[in-house]
Amino acid sequence: MIVNSIISILTMMVVSLILKYISGAKQAVFALVIFAVYLPFYFIAPVFYTDALSMLFPVLFYYLYLILKDTSGYKKFCLICFGMGLAASMGMQIKFTVIIMVIAVAIDMFINCDWKKAILANAIVCAVILIYFAVFNGYIYSYHLDRERARQDNDPYVHWVMMGLKGSGGYNPDDYFFTRSFKDPDERKAAIIQEIKRRIADYGPDGMFKFLTKKSVKCFGDGTLGLDDFLAYREDKNFLHRFIISEGDKYEIYRHLCEAILFTLMLFMVFLALKYFFRKENNINLAPLIAVFGIFLFLLGWEANRRYFTNFVPVIIVCAVLGIDYFHLLVKKFGASVLKTTQKR
């Protein structure tokens, strides 16, 4: 709980630093207010799992990138790139979806930075990631795991893609039985890929679109971040459990409050996207938007679970606060336009 609390607080701090760096102290404080009213962050400490443990790393990687863009000295530049690579590696080790922010920053870098600088930065970051995982895997397979045994026992990644194409797209035991029915890893992977193709063909274009629409709600429609998946197993329940676990008689109140905040954040995130499309600004902060879009696309193709976007909620908050600025500007322009029209009449 202490470790998870520290990670959660550091995440809030980094988000506020990002917004202070981009927009100023007012936006930084407002981000902290959002964290203060978003109820799941009060109960996330005991949820010691990859969703919460990896929250810090996407925003930390992005914050280091913001600093990198204004860095001129070669040594400092390389040092920040090394820090970015280390942050990405640690995050990806906990939950591999952190790589989506790495890709988003790379795209942002090639759009908004000098190409030579972008190539050098990405080369250093990728080198650090590759070295980190080579050393880690070398150690693990040398002292703790047998590589061939791991190959035999591990489910291929396409297993979760297959599972995401059945029913509501969530976990189902039948697909696990199907996967484990094949002893040979190569045969197992080939059978899963064949089953994926069959399911997509059965849906057809129209059916696939309807299925993914429903799946997107399952992936992003729960503002509670699914914390009750873990908290419900506690035996020493108190009055708070009446609100925060789905069996509680007050759960619907808690759920609606959480969803209202999440959907409001998503609404204002849309205004940041509109700002990019309509204003065509240079040096627009594209990476957070690309990252949220990336996790959305990834989860549409993966096993559906309401918890899996948790580590990108801080990125959504960054986008929402930046979007509120543009929303405020639109309201001022609209008000000025109405006033001008009224005066003419």
Side-chain angles (χ1 to χ4, degrees), residues 213-229:
T213 301
K214 292 179 181 178
K215 188 177 178 182
S216 66
V217 175
K218 185 177 178 66
C219 290
F220 289 90
D222 193 334
T224 69
L225 309 183
L227 301 187
D228 58 306
D229 288 350

Side-chain angles (χ1 to χ4, degrees), residues 124-243:
I124 296 173
V125 170
C126 289
V128 173
I129 293 172
L130 291 173
I131 293 170
Y132 180 97
F133 278 97
V135 171
F136 177 81
N137 289 334
Y139 168 74
I140 288 294
Y141 286 113
S142 297
Y143 296 99
H144 299 283
L145 288 177
D146 176 73
R147 193 176 293 273
E148 183 57 30
R149 176 68 184 274
R151 180 173 175 269
Q152 292 288 335
D153 290 350
N154 285 341
D155 294 324
Y157 290 127
V158 287
H159 163 80
W160 287 276
V161 176
M162 176 184 70
M163 196 157 50
L165 289 169
K166 185 177 181 180
S168 62
Y171 170 84
N172 72 82
D174 292 338
D175 279 350
Y176 267 100
F177 293 138
F178 175 81
T179 297
R180 303 312 302 173
S181 66
F182 299 93
K183 300 299 181 184
D184 181 69
D186 295 328
E187 184 184 357
R188 182 188 304 158
K189 185 176 181 180
I192 291 172
I193 292 173
Q194 189 63 34
E195 179 65 14
I196 289 171
K197 292 178 180 178
R198 186 191 67 78
R199 291 183 185 183
I200 292 174
D202 287 346
Y203 278 118
D206 186 55
M208 196 68 188
F209 178 79
K210 290 178 181 177
F211 169 73
L212 291 177
T213 301
K214 292 179 181 178
K215 188 177 178 182
S216 66
V217 175
K218 185 177 178 66
C219 290
F220 289 90
D222 193 334
T224 69
L225 309 183
L227 301 187
D228 58 306
D229 288 350
F230 301 90
L231 300 176
Y233 293 103
R234 292 179 61 91
E235 294 182 3
D236 53 334
K237 291 183 173 61
N238 56 48
F239 80 97
L240 286 174
H241 288 83
R242 296 175 62 190
F243 293 88

